[in-house]
Amino acid sequence: MENLNFPSDFLWGVSTSAFQIEGATREGGRGPSIWDTFTETEGKIAQGEDAKVAADHYHRYPEDIALMSELGVGAYRMSLAWPRIQPDGKGAPNKAGLDFYDRLLDAICDAGIAPTVTLYHWDTPQALEDTGGWLNRDTAERFAEYASIVGERFADRVKMWIPLNEPMVMSIYGYAIGEYAPGQFLMLDAIPTAHHQNLAHGLAVQALRAAGATNIGTANNHSPIWPANDTDEDDKAAIWLDALLNRLFADPVLLGSYPEQILDHLPANYAADLATIHQPLDFYGVNYYEPQGVAAPGEGNPLPFELRPIDGFPMTTNDSPIVPHGLRELLLSFHNRYQENLPPIHITENGCSFADTVAEDGGVHDPERIDFLTGHLGALREAMDAGVDVRGYFVWSLLDNFEWSKGYAPRFGIVHVDYETQKRTPKDSFRWYQKLISND
Ligand code: FCB
């Protein structure tokens, strides 16, 4: 195996999220989330699939933790389901929900693995969506209340905290183009949802610290933006899209300001919140999957850009181009843009989906995933050699899981899940990662 020479204290991990693996959506007093509603709405999810069982992690977590022990990871990134803890998104916590996460976190700690906990991976309690969801500023206040409940209960065991996962995806996919829950089509009028999530982040950081939590960061999806042609028009479109996809969240959190392109679309009183949003962070989590192509808008397009596919690279089954050096480019651009305002980075998600199947010999052979991970870790190493301070890397994902509106077809796990029997089979990439971790 190629020796990538990562520092001996580099943190190796795997990631999951609650809605994608837990199942048991009606057990333990859990309230409905926007993703339950969305999966029940006809035509929203491929094959009409839902996550009522998913990978049944709610019942099978001891087996999944045993797999992580075998893998040898130092950290496990998971999320808490807000509607398990506050079924209506407000008020007194649900005891059964807190008890479930108590047992889960204890078992993770007992296995010698550091829990990295995301408070919110898109499963807004439906009751809060009914009062406007992230369009309503009050949701940020509710989130702070939730953060203080979980901070007080779990700060003694959680080693890294991430208030919100990928607010960009929630705003764009959930509120601007309606591909994800809650399924709204507001285009640029969705931008207030970004501001309210940024505010929720800042308030939650304060609430967590007040509850005694330490090592708090964030996790955002970022992409290098590639203009389709070398023209001034396409460059201009790329600058706009970069502001929307990359800077709308990173700038206020790291710099305390918004990119100028966005200002007209923010709520009127946004400036008063910037100091709250701009909290000192202990790390910045980057989720990287692919670059994004862009061109100047065609006639009749009301937006200042037009998305373009990236051609000329191998693709995953999730239609993502595989571009490892995009990770190096992204990290270097972050390093140059934010300089001393950028805390140490963790790659909180990186991975790929293929149509993995169990072979006749009982194994799951996924050489494409091993190539993907090798390529991306090589690019990461190069970025570190060029001066970017990266402390850890989390593969998305430990398990095959419910990939949102695409359902179960895209398999992102390094462990295969047979959804009929719930049998787990470590893939070849699991063995490869295990060896990498033990060598490094
Ligand atoms: C990220 C999400 C994660 C998963 C991967 C493939 O954007 O955070 O839940 O769906 O993509």
Side-chain angles (χ1 to χ4, degrees):
M1 173 177 307
E2 195 181 346
N3 185 352
L4 292 164
N5 275 323
F6 279 85
S8 58
D9 58 354
F10 194 78
L11 189 63
W12 296 106
V14 280
S15 285
T16 64
S17 88
F19 191 74
Q20 293 177 277
I21 62 167
E22 280 182 2
T25 49
R26 295 182 186 162
E27 285 179 54
R30 179 185 177 281
S33 77
I34 56 172
W35 270 96
D36 297 279
T37 310
F38 199 65
T39 52
E40 279 158 22
T41 311
E42 215 180 306
K44 298 298 184 192
I45 313 293
Q47 320 296 333
E49 289 170 337
D50 62 48
K52 291 194 181 93
V53 179
D56 197 30
H57 176 76
Y58 187 81
H59 300 112
R60 291 170 197 263
Y61 69 86
E63 186 183 346
D64 296 336
I65 294 171
L67 279 166
M68 284 191 274
S69 281
E70 192 186 332
L71 181 60
V73 280
Y76 170 45
R77 176 174 174 231
M78 51 171 269
S79 79
L80 308 174
W82 187 357
R84 276 198 198 287
I85 292 173
Q86 288 180 299
D88 295 332
K90 55 175 150 249
N94 166 36
K95 184 173 176 313
L98 286 175
D99 289 350
F100 167 66
Y101 290 117
D102 252 337
R103 294 194 295 277
L104 179 59
L105 288 168
D106 282 347
I108 296 166
C109 292
D110 287 349
I113 297 169
T116 295
V117 166
T118 304
L119 268 55
Y120 173 73
H121 203 120
W122 306 345
D123 42 2
T124 315
Q126 181 60 45
L128 292 185
E129 196 60 44
D130 296 343
T131 55
W134 290 115
L135 286 164
N136 182 351
R137 182 190 168 84
D138 185 58
T139 300
E141 304 286 345
R142 301 282 65 75
F143 189 71
E145 181 182 270
Y146 161 58
S148 116
I149 294 170
V150 299
E152 269 160 35
R153 183 76 169 231
F154 303 128
D156 56 342
R157 282 154 289 168
V158 173
K159 297 291 184 280
M160 288 167 73
W161 292 91
I162 294 168
L164 290 92
N165 175 69
E166 299 185 354
M168 184 277 280
V169 176
M170 173 51 65
S171 289
I172 306 286
Y173 283 72
Y175 287 92
I177 62 168
E179 244 179 66
Y180 284 3
Q184 299 210 35
F185 299 91
L186 301 173
M187 303 311 275
L188 293 179
D189 291 342
I191 288 179
T193 67
H195 180 68
H196 296 145
Q197 288 185 88
N198 284 333
L199 178 61
H201 161 85
L203 291 170
V205 173
Q206 290 176 334
L208 286 170
R209 291 210 198 279
T214 54
N215 207 8
I216 306 174
T218 184
N220 244 315
N221 190 319
H222 290 291
S223 295
I225 308 294
W226 290 0
N229 306 289
D230 190 10
T231 60
D232 286 352
E233 291 74 27
D234 284 8
D235 281 351
K236 217 169 125 205
I239 290 170
W240 222 103
L241 189 64
D242 187 41
L244 187 66
L245 297 190
N246 291 318
R247 298 177 53 198
L248 176 56
F249 300 91
D251 278 18
V253 165
L254 295 174
L255 304 176
S257 59
Y258 276 107
E260 61 179 17
Q261 290 84 346
I262 304 298
L263 298 181
D264 287 349
H265 303 279
L266 289 165
N269 54 355
Y270 80 89
D273 297 326
L274 285 170
T276 308
I277 295 171
H278 181 39
Q279 296 295 312
L281 293 183
D282 303 297
F283 66 92
Y284 192 95
V286 169
N287 297 353
Y288 171 71
Y289 289 93
E290 63 200 303
Q292 177 61 58
V294 66
E299 261 198 39
N301 182 344
L303 296 174
F305 56 82
E306 203 160 279
L307 299 184
R308 287 291 169 85
I310 302 269
D311 295 325
F313 293 92
M315 305 291 276
T316 70
T317 47
N318 211 22
D319 298 329
S320 276
I322 302 176
V323 190
H325 66 85
L327 177 58
R328 183 188 60 219
E329 180 184 327
L330 175 72
L331 293 173
L332 287 171
S333 74
F334 251 67
H335 181 68
N336 294 333
R337 179 179 287 165
Y338 296 108
Q339 304 194 4
E340 70 284 354
N341 296 299
L342 185 63
I345 288 180
H346 282 268
I347 306 302
T348 34
E349 284 181 31
N350 178 231
C352 52
S353 66
F354 293 104
D356 305 309
T357 50
V358 180
E360 267 176 27
D361 62 7
V364 179
H365 308 305
D366 58 343
E368 306 93 335
R369 182 169 289 99
I370 295 176
D371 281 355
F372 179 102
L373 296 173
T374 308
H376 285 75
L377 286 172
L380 173 59
R381 198 69 197 85
E382 285 169 16
M384 291 166 72
D385 288 341
V388 186
D389 183 2
V390 184
R391 305 284 176 89
Y393 176 91
F394 293 71
V395 172
W396 182 272
S397 178
L398 171 67
L399 301 170
D400 288 342
N401 59 58
F402 179 75
E403 177 52 25
W404 309 112
S405 51
K406 300 214 167 119
Y408 294 99
R411 290 181 175 271
F412 273 92
I414 56 173
V415 175
H416 180 274
V417 176
D418 177 333
Y419 296 110
E420 297 286 310
T421 60
Q422 292 296 341
K423 182 174 175 352
R424 274 79 166 131
T425 307
K427 302 180 189 177
D428 289 353
S429 55
F430 177 101
R431 301 289 167 216
W432 174 88
Y433 197 42
Q434 181 182 46
K435 206 154 156 214
L436 176 92
I437 296 171
S438 71
N439 283 349
D440 247 67

